[in-house]
Amino acid sequence: MKYLAIVGTNSDVSTNRMLLQFMQKHFAGEAEIELYEIKDLPAFMEPEDSEVPEKVAELSDKILKADGVIMATPEYDHAIPAVLKSALEWISYTTQALTDKPVLIVGASHGTLGSSRAQAHLRQILDSPELAARIMPSSEFLLGKSQGAFDNGGNLIYTDKLSELDEIFREFVLFTDITVKLLEKKTLSKKEKKYTWQE
């Protein structure tokens, strides 16, 4: 499996980035995980012409080529960061590259709740008609007290959380495989979608 792991923050120091970096290393024998930073994407605004910004096109291309997407989100005021919302708005408004794409949501926070409300918020957004991602059901990976969760080598040291992450990732690989097979058997072809500005 090839997965694109999206770092859902523009912070230079983030335990969500550390979580994805650990997953990339820890699951290297099971999947190829590429980390992607969204902090360099332009803030979303309706373009005056039909040109998709280069960085947005790059992200869309990587999503389309991946078997699935892993998103790590922190929690700001019970919601996802503005930079992640902006990135998703670009995808929704332009390429809709997340349509039918298997997605696993994970999150880390300094508090005890592990970004639970932000993850619920992200699920709502990804389920919207113009994104329509295939979100793995009944799955939450909530890493609380994340400032103490990693050693100097970037390894996750909470043994209970490591076991939980192993199980969730195995399920996601299976979910990805099942989703791909399901979509191959779809008899209804997707209608050609136009960008909002083309309608």
Side-chain angles (χ1 to χ4, degrees):
M1 291 293 178
K2 292 184 178 181
Y3 293 122
L4 185 69
I6 296 176
V7 182
T9 179
N10 56 2
S11 174
D12 289 329
V13 179
S14 169
T15 52
N16 281 278
R17 182 181 292 106
M18 292 176 70
L19 174 58
L20 291 180
Q21 288 171 337
F22 171 74
M23 291 177 68
Q24 182 184 47
K25 178 176 63 175
H26 185 66
F27 297 118
E30 300 172 56
E32 179 183 326
I33 300 175
E34 177 186 357
L35 264 64
Y36 189 85
E37 300 280 355
I38 58 172
K39 59 184 179 179
D40 296 327
L41 264 66
F44 175 76
M45 60 177 292
E46 188 170 335
E48 295 179 358
D49 52 32
S50 59
E51 290 297 316
V52 180
E54 183 179 346
K55 278 289 183 181
V56 176
E58 177 188 78
L59 173 57
S60 295
D61 185 59
K62 287 181 179 293
I63 290 172
L64 289 169
K65 289 178 178 176
D67 295 308
V69 175
I70 304 167
M71 293 188 187
T73 180
E75 183 172 311
Y76 299 159
D77 299 323
H78 294 188
I80 64 173
V83 66
L84 180 55
K85 181 66 164 62
S86 177
L88 294 173
E89 285 169 349
W90 273 121
I91 298 299
S92 170
Y93 189 80
T94 59
T95 62
Q96 298 175 359
L98 281 164
T99 298
D100 287 332
K101 188 68 62 174
V103 174
L104 172 64
I105 300 172
V106 299
S109 72
H110 297 173
T112 57
L113 296 179
S115 79
S116 60
R117 288 164 292 202
Q119 290 195 33
H121 183 216
L122 183 53
R123 280 179 177 273
Q124 273 190 312
I125 295 168
L126 291 171
D127 200 37
S128 63
E130 301 305 313
L131 288 171
R134 298 272 177 156
I135 313 156
M136 190 166 90
S138 304
S139 65
E140 286 184 317
F141 183 74
L142 310 171
L143 183 61
K145 299 182 179 179
S146 60
Q147 285 179 306
F150 302 95
D151 63 18
N152 291 335
N155 299 302
L156 182 61
I157 59 175
Y158 297 162
T159 54
D160 58 332
K161 284 296 176 181
L162 179 56
S163 297
E164 185 181 330
L165 184 61
D166 284 342
E167 183 176 351
I168 284 177
F169 190 77
R170 281 195 299 268
E171 289 178 359
F172 184 55
V173 172
L174 180 59
F175 175 74
T176 304
D177 187 52
I178 291 170
T179 302
V180 169
K181 289 176 180 175
L182 174 67
L183 294 173
E184 285 175 352
K185 294 182 183 296
K186 281 181 72 173
T187 54
L188 293 176
S189 59
K190 285 194 292 184
K191 65 178 182 179
E192 190 74 22
K193 287 189 175 182
K194 293 183 177 181
Y195 295 166
T196 303
W197 62 65
Q198 295 174 327
E199 295 176 347

